[in-house]
């Protein structure tokens, strides 16, 4: 309290290290008023244990947020309150000697209360209760000793309450700084825990803690969603950006999960090449299909949803399945649910073998003129997509069914494959998928 011990006629204990208060708070204290304050404050110092008892009891009765702390450690709270009162009342008498230690005490209490989760409003209320109790004791002691001196004590009232406000500011600042540190630690620990779960490196002993920290059931059903930006022409297989993270265009809207789905509360985690979301599953077996259909995926974004797994311990497998689904997405974007694209997943899971199969099956077509080759491949793809119906394939290609059949026969002649032979049909389908997904 800077002005409490400053007389208009001169300082009692040398120049105060505290900057003067703004003019609107100009102290009315003079030497006589300060002496009255000092006499009453010295009596308070001598009776601090009793004052501490009363303040702790008042906190318990009037501030519910403190009751748990007092019930679980009354002696510890008592010591903190006593420590604070000792330094703050001491500051009224010897500000130069006590002010910095009083500030340290207030900062320390602010940090402790933040760690304990006591609301800041309750902490500030407690400090003001302490200030009110100290002021009342100062008034009572002055009235007991000499009632006429109360008029002098009034001159330092503003200084006392400015002192209380000063410490409330110190406490609030320390509390908020500690709260930010604690929040960062919690968020960082959560990020590390989610990363460990998705990497499959989380220890079994940590799963219960992870479940509590993340608000997820340890033995629940989960899937993982992987999101990345579509591959640009000439970009190869590397992802250019991730759902608003990395070097991709920041203005691109993110993938939006359907609000009615439990997975809407997914935990997102950025990775180097994709962004992942842990999806809690609580619905029927077709839940993932419904989710994939309802997923709002912006143009140019790829989204892959892996198969469902059981328990947090299997999230590493779920992430790898989601990455496989992501690799099976078209380069220009789209959504792939792994369970509905297993042949494509087989292709992208072994690119070298898939490339070799594509060269073996489709290699003879590469000797044709590119335009002629593309027509045959397009016709073959349309025929397979139409479940072997030349009529439907022709309608899709805007040509006669006989044209489709002629092109298919030419393919068989060039490659030596037979479209009615099941084994050949499987290899042709996988080879086409390899060309489409891997660009081989």
């Amino acid at each position: 309290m800077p002005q409490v011990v400053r007389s208009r006629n001169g300082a009692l204990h040398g120049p105060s290290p505290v900057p003067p208060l703004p003019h609107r708070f100009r102290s009315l204290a003079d030497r006589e008023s300060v002496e009255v304050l000092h006499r009453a404050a010295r009596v308070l110092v001598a009776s601090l244990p009793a004052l501490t008892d009363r303040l702790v009891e008042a906190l318990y009765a009037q501030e519910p947020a403190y009751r748990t702390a007092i019930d679980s450690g009354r002696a510890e709270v008592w010591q903190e309150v006593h420590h604070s009162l000792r330094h703050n009342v001491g500051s009224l008498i010897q500000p130069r000697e006590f002010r910095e230690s009083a500030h340290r005490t207030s900062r320390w209490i602010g940090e402790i209360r933040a760690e304990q989760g006591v609301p800041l409003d309750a902490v500030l209320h407690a400090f003001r209760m302490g200030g009110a109790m100290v002021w009342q004791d100062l008034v009572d002691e002055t009235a007991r000793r000499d009632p006429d001196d109360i008029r002098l004590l009034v001159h330092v009232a503003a200084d006392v309450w400015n002192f209380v406000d000063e410490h409330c500011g110190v406490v609030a600042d320390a509390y908020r700084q500690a709260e930010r540190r604690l929040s960062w630690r919690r968020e960082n620990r959560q990020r590390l825990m989610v990363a460990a779960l998705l990497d499959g490196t989380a220890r079994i002993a940590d799963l219960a803690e992870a479940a509590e920290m993340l608000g997820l059931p340890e033995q629940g059903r989960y899937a993982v969603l992987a999101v990345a930006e579509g591959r640009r022409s000439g970009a190869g297989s590397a992802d250019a950006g991730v759902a608003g993270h990395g070097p991709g265009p920041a203005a691109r809207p993110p993938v939006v999960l359907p609000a009615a789905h439990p997975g809407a509360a997914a935990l997102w985690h950025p990775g180097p090449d994709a962004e992942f979301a842990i999806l809690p599953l609580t619905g029927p077996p077709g839940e993932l299909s419904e989710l994939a259909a309802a997923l709002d995926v912006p143009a140019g974004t790829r989204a892959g949803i892996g198969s469902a797994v059981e328990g947090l311990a299997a999230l590493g497998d779920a992430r790898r399945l989601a990455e496989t689904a992501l690799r099976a997405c078209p380069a220009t974007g789209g959504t792939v649910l792994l369970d509905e694209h297993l042949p494509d997943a087989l292709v992208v899971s072994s690119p070298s073998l898939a490339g070799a199969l594509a060269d073996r099956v489709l290699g003879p077509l590469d000797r044709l003129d590119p335009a002629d080759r593309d027509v045959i491949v397009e016709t073959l793809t349309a025929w397979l997509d139409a479940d072997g119906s030349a009529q439907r394939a022709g309608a899709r290609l805007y040509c006669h069914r006989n044209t489709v059949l002629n092109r298919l026969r030419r393919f068989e002649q060039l490659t030596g494959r037979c479209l009615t032979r099941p084994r050949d049909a499987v290899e042709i389908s996988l080879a086409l998928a390899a060309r489409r997904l891997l660009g081989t």
Side-chain angles (χ1 to χ4, degrees):
M1 182 181 65
Q3 302 289 352
V4 168
V5 293
R6 274 183 73 178
S7 167
R8 286 189 295 236
N9 301 322
L12 294 180
H13 300 285
S16 170
V18 183
L21 291 170
H23 289 299
R24 65 180 182 275
F25 294 129
R26 188 170 61 86
S27 176
L28 299 176
D30 55 17
R31 181 185 296 274
E32 192 176 3
S33 300
V34 170
E35 288 176 351
V36 169
L37 173 69
H38 284 183
R39 283 197 298 271
R42 289 190 187 96
V43 175
L44 261 65
V45 169
S47 60
L48 274 182
L51 176 60
T52 303
D53 288 340
R54 286 191 288 119
L55 181 53
V56 171
E57 290 300 326
L59 286 174
Y60 190 88
Q62 300 177 37
E63 184 47 70
Y66 269 76
R67 288 175 190 162
T68 301
I70 294 173
D71 283 335
S72 61
R74 177 177 288 266
E76 184 177 353
V77 174
W78 193 96
Q79 288 294 338
E80 292 170 6
V81 171
H82 184 268
H83 196 64
S84 177
L85 287 172
R86 179 164 60 86
H87 284 86
N88 285 294
V89 174
S91 294
L92 300 179
I93 305 170
Q94 296 176 296
R96 196 170 184 179
E97 288 79 359
F98 279 92
R99 186 183 178 190
E100 186 54 41
S101 60
H103 277 196
R104 283 198 302 269
T105 299
S106 295
R107 285 193 294 268
W108 171 63
I109 291 175
E111 292 173 356
I112 287 176
R113 295 294 176 257
E115 292 173 0
Q116 293 173 337
V118 177
L120 178 57
D121 286 348
V123 180
L124 296 178
H125 182 212
F127 263 76
R128 292 190 177 102
M129 285 175 62
M133 191 170 288
V134 168
W135 174 249
Q136 187 61 52
D137 281 11
L138 290 172
V139 172
D140 290 347
E141 174 58 27
T142 303
R144 184 189 66 80
R145 178 183 292 269
D146 188 346
D148 291 340
D149 285 346
I150 291 179
R151 62 181 177 78
L152 297 173
L153 194 61
V154 169
H155 293 171
V156 298
D159 293 328
V160 171
W161 284 105
N162 289 339
F163 176 83
V164 173
D165 285 343
E166 175 188 334
H167 276 264
C168 284
V170 171
V171 168
D173 183 61
Y175 184 101
R176 293 187 182 104
Q177 289 184 23
E179 197 171 40
R180 285 193 291 270
R181 288 195 301 270
L182 291 169
S183 177
W184 182 87
R185 288 173 190 165
R186 283 193 298 269
E187 291 172 2
N188 191 54
R189 181 158 176 73
Q190 177 173 307
R191 282 193 297 269
L192 292 175
M193 185 62 74
V194 171
L197 290 170
L198 290 172
D199 288 342
T201 57
R203 301 185 308 166
I204 298 297
D206 293 335
L207 293 179
E209 179 186 357
E212 181 178 0
M213 179 189 305
L214 304 177
L216 298 172
E218 184 177 348
Q219 300 303 326
R221 289 176 60 248
Y222 298 97
V224 170
L225 165 67
V227 179
E229 186 175 340
R231 295 186 290 269
R232 295 184 177 88
S233 176
S237 61
D239 299 315
V242 180
H245 297 270
R252 177 170 58 77
V255 168
V256 178
L257 293 159
H261 193 275
L267 286 173
W268 287 90
H269 182 78
D273 298 318
E275 185 169 352
F276 301 97
I278 299 174
L279 307 175
L281 303 177
T282 59
E287 181 180 11
L288 281 178
S289 297
E290 295 176 3
L291 174 62
L295 205 61
D296 185 1
V297 180
T301 299
R302 297 180 297 130
I305 304 175
S307 303
V309 299
E310 296 290 336
L312 291 177
L315 281 178
D317 295 332
R319 176 191 62 82
R320 287 184 283 274
L321 293 171
E323 288 178 325
T324 301
L326 186 64
R327 291 196 298 271
C329 284
T332 54
T335 301
V336 166
L337 175 59
L338 184 66
D339 292 347
E340 297 176 358
H341 294 78
L342 291 176
D344 289 351
L346 286 174
V347 167
V348 298
S349 294
S350 183
S352 58
L353 291 178
L357 177 63
D359 291 341
R360 179 182 177 87
V361 175
L362 304 177
L365 300 181
D366 294 336
R367 295 192 292 269
L368 300 175
D369 179 85
D372 193 15
R373 178 198 62 205
D374 292 345
V375 166
I376 293 178
V377 170
E378 182 183 27
T379 302
L380 183 60
T381 301
W383 181 77
L384 289 170
D385 289 343
D387 297 327
S389 170
Q391 185 75 33
R392 291 200 301 272
R396 183 175 299 182
L397 298 171
Y398 302 102
C399 64
H400 195 273
R401 66 180 297 276
N402 289 339
T403 302
V404 172
L405 293 173
N406 289 335
R407 292 172 182 173
L408 295 178
R409 277 194 292 271
R410 189 176 179 210
F411 169 79
E412 291 179 325
Q413 292 168 358
L414 289 169
T415 62
R417 301 283 170 166
C418 178
L419 291 171
T420 59
R421 187 182 301 135
R423 176 172 181 148
D424 283 359
V426 170
E427 290 184 352
I428 292 167
S429 179
L430 291 175
L432 288 171
R435 284 286 174 96
R436 173 171 51 84
L437 296 169
L438 304 176
T440 58

